[in-house]
Amino acid sequence: MFGQTKAFSGYSVDNLRKAQQFYGEILGIEVSQQEEMPVLHLHIHGGYEVILYEKPNHEPATFTVLNFPVKNIEEVVKTLKSKGVKFESYDWPGFKTDADDIMRGNGPTIAWFTDPAGNILSVIETEK
């Protein structure tokens, strides 16, 4: 039924203006907003779209809502940190990030951070 349908994903934020600044200026994603609906469109490279909507009783997702594949995770983490992005640090059994806030050697090399609304995002290293 949906095999030929172009689907999209969406999640809530608590402030669309903050989201627009973060996703557009900090992350460098093309964003747009239509006047008739309070929805922020993230235009992801390759023709994908994610929508963000403001929700008064927003609660951040407790799981990763958006993953960004990158070739050099160290470089990307360093650049984002220089822009004020704070990365998550984990120290759980079998799930630990290093001093750079990157998890290595336990599945893909990955680092997690949050948007201004507290939603969890990640950068995940692809083959170099």
Side-chain angles (χ1 to χ4, degrees):
M1 179 190 311
F2 297 118
Q4 299 299 313
T5 300
K6 184 180 175 185
F8 62 92
S9 181
Y11 51 92
S12 70
V13 296
D14 58 356
N15 186 305
L16 277 180
R17 280 182 282 139
K18 286 182 182 178
Q20 184 169 13
Q21 187 271 332
F22 179 79
Y23 286 93
E25 296 176 25
I26 303 294
L27 300 186
I29 297 171
E30 180 186 343
V31 298
S32 65
Q33 208 172 353
Q34 299 170 349
E35 289 185 33
E36 62 273 3
M37 288 186 67
V39 173
L40 184 66
H41 296 259
L42 306 181
H43 305 281
I44 308 296
H45 177 75
Y48 301 100
E49 186 169 313
V50 176
I51 62 165
L52 306 183
Y53 54 93
E54 193 168 307
K55 186 176 172 192
N57 60 345
H58 165 75
E59 290 188 30
T62 58
F63 52 88
T64 309
V65 296
L66 195 55
N67 299 283
F68 296 99
V70 298
K71 295 223 183 272
N72 186 327
I73 197 166
E74 291 87 2
E75 181 180 304
V76 171
V77 168
K78 184 178 177 180
T79 299
L80 288 173
K81 284 182 177 182
S82 75
K83 294 180 176 192
V85 175
K86 298 206 184 303
F87 278 77
E88 299 295 298
S89 179
Y90 299 109
D91 189 5
W92 302 336
F95 197 86
K96 182 177 174 74
T97 53
D98 62 18
D100 294 322
D101 302 311
I102 299 171
M103 186 176 78
R104 305 167 198 270
N106 186 17
T109 303
I110 187 168
W112 294 270
F113 59 102
T114 58
D115 70 5
N119 294 307
I120 302 169
L121 313 174
S122 83
V123 288
I124 185 168
E125 190 166 78
T126 58
E127 293 183 30
K128 289 187 177 186

